[in-house]
Amino acid sequence: MSTPVAYSRQGDVAVLRIDNPPVNALSQAVRQGLSDAMDRAEADAGVKAALIVGEGRAFIAGADITEFGKPPMQPNLPDLCTRIEASPLVVVASMHGVSLGGGLEVALGAHYRIAQPSARVGLPEVHLGLIPGAGGTQRLPRLTGAEKAIEMITTGRQVGASEALGMGLIDKIEEGDTEAVGLAYVQDLLAQEAPRRPVSALPGPDAIDWDATYDAVLKKGRGQISPATAVRAVQAASELPFDAGMLRERELFIELMGTDQRKGMIHAFFNERAVGNLPELKGVAPRPLKAIGVIGGGTMGAGIATATLLAGMQVVLIEMKDDAVEAAKGRIGGNLQGALKRGKISQDAFDTMTTKALTVSTDYGTLKDVDLVIEAVFEEMSVKKDVFGKLDAVCKPGCVLASNTSYLDVNEIAASTSRPSDVIGLHFFSPAHVMKLLEVVVADQTAPDVVATGFALAKALGKVSVRAGVCDGFIGNRILSVYRTAADHMVLDGATPYQIDNALTDFGFAMGPFAVADLAGLDIGWMTRKRKAPHRHPEERVPTYLDKLCEQGHFGQKTGEGYYLYEKGKRGGVPNPKIAELIAAEQRDLGITPRPFTDEDIVRRYMCAMVNEAAKVVGEGIARRPLDVDMTLLFGYGFPRFWGGPMKWADIQGLDKVLADIEAFAKDDAWFWQPAPLLRELVASGRTFDDLNKG
Ligand code: 3HC
Ligand code: NAI
């Protein structure tokens, strides 16, 4: 069998070249190959040093994540790193691209490290629900001290070569062929008779306030446990001899490997990549994407224009009146200023984006050369149809016509043009230049290459794209409206909005639903309630207490009063005492005796409502796979990544338990809690949502 580690000799140096595309992950074969090649080098007469290099785009991207959760295979990575370090040869790693996780740990097992100026290193295991498990928590702090190591490990941040040099993590930066610069460095070391320099022989890092650091990292993790666990592993590097520290690291690593958080985060890792790969688009070429039109320069239009400019495209934005043109320019300029301030773009790029690359006009005729137009005008079908009529008249043949509508029927919009196959929904999230999610809404007649163009645009903008079918709210907003309703019901029945927000932030959401409502503006929900009132099912329970607050002109954060009271200049708010009074009055009117809810009850109901609606969305084909729902919630709705998404959460709980809960809740409100047929089917056949992802 061919080995992914090639062995060659350059004079008195053995060169070990790892070649395991695409990113040289440390599969069993690579570990075995490295171990064998070290044996061979040590037995090879006249060899004084070993140089490890990587083929392709990275030195080594880390352990092979596909092996996690499966029975371990020898040689294991920590032993391999220790074996490399213990070699009587001088071992040098020559790094390019990324050296991540186990990749950096292999390099730390070497005695010297040289890197390309563009190389980046990091220990990103926390993003997989883990800690470094091959000596990273023991060797890194011996080089950098505890604080820097903890910062790197708990954030999983990638560090550039010059910063790594400053931290003492690498020894030299040299541009050129990795093997050539590595060999020259080895020759220098040999000429100087530089000694082998095992990091494990260095003293452990000085102590810091471990408990305070642990607490701070735990708090920052919002429920995620691996970063705080990493602090304890680094503590072991300080307090224990190297070998005992390694054992402690191993123990903590294995503990985390068995957690649901690890499963959730690895589900997120792979599906974040899988979600944009649609089998139906294999071989379908997208249309060109050089110049983009945007209609409407409000919150969304300006955000979309910003994202598109940042991706290096030309933008033509259309507004209704001259003052709206100026306002749109101001919004885009403000967004780009932010990017400039944060060092994301240069002054030159800023100047180009705000002048040459951007045209803002009231004249639809300026759209004649654009490749794709995204409409982001008011959420009114008549307005949208009017705009699409104009686009149909001015846009060149083959131009993709997209709507950013949140809820409206994309089929109806498409039917208002003479070219429905060119029409698609591209649903961005606010702020559009920041939020990662794009729902690509495929209407009945949308052409495959138009769908491919939607996905290509998302990729160009650095977004995660999810295919959605047409229905009220598509994937995300449809599911949102149901779990929000579950929260409203709990308030009517006795939980306070604040208890619900707290329970859900403890679960891992960035914000609770009532704080989010205050941020988005309570007027939106108020208008929706009024719009939907005439068509409401008699059994639908809709609280009206909030309408009274809205009638007084209180719309949440923007007016200073909502579920919470906000003081100018202060972040966050305090509970608004009026809310408790309004809820109590409504409960009296409805004859409800409030009952207590535990935080667990709250999470369970909220999550069951989410999962049940998500199962309907998948069952109806609006989302093709459960993973599409998971990625929608993760990247558009602040769902905690360490759960992997609501479907993964449900799989982890056991679908039978989720269904049993839904059936129990249905005893009080059978209209709201109608179990999804797909959920019943999966439970009956003993399958999981994840099984459907594989099919
Ligand atoms: N194991 C297995 N597969 C991996 C992998 C890994 N460590 N890293 C990347 N891949 C796969 C991806 O799934 C993807 O597969 P696909 O083409 O079938 O979708 C392919 O390699 C290319 O990856 P990307 O599309 O992400 O390519 P990019 O160039 O955008 O990014 C990267 C490259 C920066 C290396 C990025 O893939 C990445 O961050 N990988 C994960 C790195 C990581 O977390 N390493 C730590 C692993 S845990 C560990 O080492 C434990 C140890 O301490 C014991
Ligand atoms: P907005 O009210 O901030 O902006 C709409 C803009 O469109 C206004 O500046 C208006 O002058 C302009 N406009 C209206 N008719 C026009 C026309 N015929 N030609 C040119 N410009 C016209 O609205 P917002 O929030 O930006 O929403 C726009 C669309 O995006 C809506 O369909 C909305 O449902 C959707 N959306 C909104 C999100 C949000 O969080 N605000 C999130 C995702 C989608």
Side-chain angles (χ1 to χ4, degrees):
M1 216 175 81
S2 76
T3 163
V5 181
Y7 181 91
S8 64
R9 222 176 124 168
Q10 299 291 337
D12 48 7
V13 185
V15 179
L16 282 51
R17 177 173 290 273
I18 305 165
D19 186 6
N20 184 29
V23 290
N24 292 335
L26 290 158
S27 63
Q28 189 278 336
V30 173
R31 299 194 302 275
Q32 190 64 57
L34 275 172
S35 179
D36 293 347
M38 285 303 295
D39 290 348
R40 183 167 166 190
E42 286 166 14
D44 203 346
V47 165
K48 294 189 185 137
L51 174 70
I52 307 176
V53 295
E55 183 67 38
R57 64 192 215 228
F59 174 66
I60 305 172
D64 184 341
I65 303 170
T66 59
E67 288 181 358
F68 290 175
K70 297 181 185 156
M73 287 179 289
Q74 297 302 321
N76 75 31
L77 197 52
D79 290 349
L80 175 66
C81 295
T82 299
R83 189 254 170 278
I84 291 172
E85 191 185 56
S87 175
L89 305 174
V90 172
V91 186
V92 176
S94 180
M95 298 141 82
H96 76 289
V98 289
S99 306
L100 299 176
L104 179 56
E105 290 171 306
V106 166
L108 291 172
H111 304 135
Y112 295 90
R113 286 157 291 281
I114 177 170
Q116 298 290 310
S118 56
R120 283 168 296 129
V121 301
L123 292 170
E125 285 86 346
V126 291
H127 298 315
L128 302 172
L130 293 167
I131 59 168
T137 66
Q138 305 304 299
R139 290 195 178 90
L140 182 66
R142 283 181 157 77
L143 289 172
T144 65
E147 270 166 14
K148 284 187 184 140
I150 285 174
E151 191 273 332
M152 244 182 100
I153 297 170
T154 58
T155 61
R157 181 170 76 88
Q158 288 184 14
V159 170
S162 56
E163 188 181 350
L165 184 70
M167 287 164 85
L169 218 168
I170 58 174
D171 304 294
K172 191 175 165 70
I173 298 177
E174 187 80 51
E175 187 154 20
D177 174 72
T178 46
E179 185 171 324
V181 297
L183 282 170
Y185 184 44
V186 174
Q187 291 306 343
D188 273 359
L189 292 167
L190 291 177
Q192 291 165 34
E193 293 183 12
R196 290 170 58 261
R197 207 188 43 177
V199 177
S200 65
L202 298 172
D206 290 343
I208 57 170
D209 187 340
W210 302 108
D211 289 347
T213 308
Y214 176 88
D215 289 345
V217 172
L218 189 65
K219 189 157 175 246
K220 214 170 150 211
R222 267 208 228 110
Q224 199 197 330
I225 50 179
S226 55
T229 308
V231 175
R232 293 302 185 208
V234 175
Q235 181 176 357
S238 171
E239 294 175 352
L240 301 175
F242 181 79
D243 289 349
M246 285 295 282
L247 287 177
R248 181 74 186 125
E249 178 194 82
R250 194 81 203 140
E251 220 170 68
L252 294 170
F253 180 81
I254 287 169
E255 209 175 273
L256 289 171
M257 189 61 95
T259 59
D260 292 340
Q261 293 200 355
R262 193 276 299 165
K263 291 179 197 145
M265 291 194 92
I266 286 181
H267 177 81
F269 176 85
F270 283 118
N271 290 320
E272 178 177 354
R273 287 160 176 78
V275 70
N277 279 336
L278 293 194
E280 74 203 52
L281 295 183
K282 268 227 163 83
V284 181
R287 297 184 186 176
L289 278 173
K290 285 205 185 76
I292 306 294
V294 178
I295 317 299
T299 311
M300 291 308 290
I304 294 166
T306 307
T308 316
L309 288 165
L310 286 170
M313 295 176 197
Q314 292 284 323
V315 175
V316 179
L317 188 142
I318 304 294
E319 256 295 349
M320 287 200 291
K321 296 190 187 118
D322 290 344
D323 54 347
V325 165
E326 289 313 310
K329 277 189 194 162
R331 279 186 204 106
I332 297 168
N335 292 341
L336 291 172
Q337 274 289 349
L340 179 65
K341 260 193 219 147
R342 286 192 300 278
K344 290 206 160 163
I345 51 171
S346 64
Q347 183 67 46
D348 268 5
F350 174 85
D351 294 343
T352 306
M353 287 177 197
T354 46
T355 54
K356 279 183 230 149
L358 175 68
T359 308
V360 186
S361 166
T362 53
D363 175 12
Y364 274 72
T366 49
L367 292 168
K368 66 181 175 34
D369 295 324
V370 301
D371 303 305
L372 178 147
V373 190
I374 306 162
E375 163 279 309
V377 302
F378 304 132
E379 184 78 342
E380 272 280 338
M381 185 54 92
S382 57
V383 183
K384 304 266 188 210
K385 282 187 175 168
D386 178 52
V387 167
F388 272 79
K390 287 182 186 151
L391 295 178
D392 201 7
V394 300
C395 291
K396 65 183 180 188
C399 174
V400 173
L401 308 181
S403 174
N404 180 48
T405 177
S406 306
Y407 289 95
L408 299 176
D409 183 347
V410 183
N411 282 319
E412 195 177 335
I413 296 174
S416 73
T417 72
S418 67
R419 34 175 144 171
S421 61
D422 290 340
V423 177
I424 193 165
L426 290 178
H427 184 218
F428 290 78
F429 289 72
S430 183
H433 57 296
V434 176
M435 292 293 286
K436 288 270 279 181
L437 183 67
L438 180 69
E439 275 183 303
V440 178
V441 184
V442 180
D444 292 348
Q445 295 194 45
T446 310
D449 66 338
V450 170
V451 182
T453 310
F455 279 91
L457 177 72
K459 196 164 182 200
L461 303 185
K463 300 210 183 286
V464 171
S465 44
V466 176
R467 183 202 188 281
V470 177
C471 70
D472 195 43
F474 318 122
I475 299 178
N477 281 347
R478 172 168 159 185
I479 298 171
L480 164 73
S481 74
V482 174
Y483 63 82
R484 257 311 313 240
T485 302
D488 284 338
H489 289 175
M490 288 190 269
V491 169
L492 280 182
D493 292 334
T496 70
Y498 318 106
Q499 191 195 357
I500 293 175
D501 276 358
N502 281 335
L504 291 165
T505 47
D506 284 351
F507 177 76
F509 277 96
M511 286 170 90
F514 298 99
V516 170
D518 269 1
L519 185 66
L522 300 177
D523 43 333
I524 299 177
W526 186 35
M527 277 177 336
T528 309
R529 283 193 295 281
K530 282 199 271 193
R531 180 164 54 84
K532 290 194 169 170
H535 319 286
R536 206 161 272 149
H537 191 278
E539 287 180 60
E540 196 178 339
R541 299 176 71 204
V542 181
T544 56
Y545 67 90
L546 199 65
D547 297 353
K548 302 192 176 73
L549 199 74
C550 292
E551 281 156 18
Q552 295 165 13
H554 302 306
F555 299 138
Q557 257 194 49
K558 60 187 168 191
T559 61
E561 182 170 344
Y563 286 101
Y564 297 84
L565 296 175
Y566 300 90
E567 222 176 284
K568 259 218 163 80
K570 271 201 180 166
R571 269 185 142 206
V574 295
N576 181 355
K578 272 189 213 160
I579 291 285
E581 290 167 23
L582 290 169
I583 293 170
E586 182 155 0
Q587 286 165 338
R588 274 195 304 276
D589 289 350
L590 295 171
I592 294 171
T593 310
R595 62 187 167 85
F597 282 80
T598 64
D599 287 2
E600 204 191 329
D601 293 336
I602 290 170
V603 168
R604 205 74 199 173
R605 278 181 184 256
Y606 197 73
M607 286 305 303
C608 282
M610 192 183 300
V611 170
N612 198 34
E613 190 64 16
K616 290 176 190 172
V617 162
V618 175
E620 291 167 24
I622 298 297
R624 286 272 169 88
R625 305 156 297 188
L627 74 87
D628 294 314
V629 173
D630 281 341
M631 296 308 108
T632 301
L633 270 290
L634 237 54
F635 291 101
Y637 296 83
F639 192 89
R641 186 178 173 96
F642 58 79
W643 281 113
M647 308 309 252
K648 185 67 185 173
W649 175 89
D651 278 347
I652 288 171
Q653 307 307 304
L655 296 190
D656 52 341
K657 295 201 184 78
V658 173
L659 178 61
D661 277 352
I662 291 170
E663 286 170 341
F665 302 150
K667 289 190 182 125
D668 295 327
D669 185 352
W671 188 83
F672 181 75
W673 291 104
Q674 296 175 43
L678 177 64
L679 186 56
R680 283 195 196 282
E681 266 171 55
L682 290 175
V683 171
S685 58
R687 287 180 300 159
T688 62
F689 285 123
D690 217 13
D691 290 333
L692 302 182
N693 290 328
K694 291 165 194 143

